[in-house]
Amino acid sequence: MIEEAGSALHVTADDAARAAFGTNPLDPASRLPSFEAGLAQARQLADRVAEFWNA
C-alpha cells in the first residue's frame, strides 16, 4: 500500500506481504515468502516511488 501526503510517501506491506508474514512474523519459515512478497511489492511501486523522489 502506498499513500502520498504532501512531502511524505508512506509505503506499508500490501495484502500479499501481510499474508506471507502469517500469524508469527518471527517464524523462520516466513522469511522467504515475506522476502518474495516484499520484492514483488517493491517492483510494483518502484516507478511511483522514483517519481515521488524526483519531483
Side-chain angles (χ1 to χ4, degrees), residues 7-35:
S7 62
L9 189 68
H10 185 221
V11 178
T12 58
D14 62 11
D15 290 340
R18 284 192 298 275
F21 299 160
T23 58
N24 181 3
L26 298 179
D27 180 356
S30 70
R31 288 181 188 162
L32 183 58
S34 296
F35 166 75

Side-chain angles (χ1 to χ4, degrees), residues 32-51:
L32 183 58
S34 296
F35 166 75
E36 291 171 341
L39 188 58
Q41 182 180 6
R43 288 181 177 138
Q44 290 175 333
L45 300 179
D47 289 341
R48 188 156 173 211
V49 171
E51 180 180 308

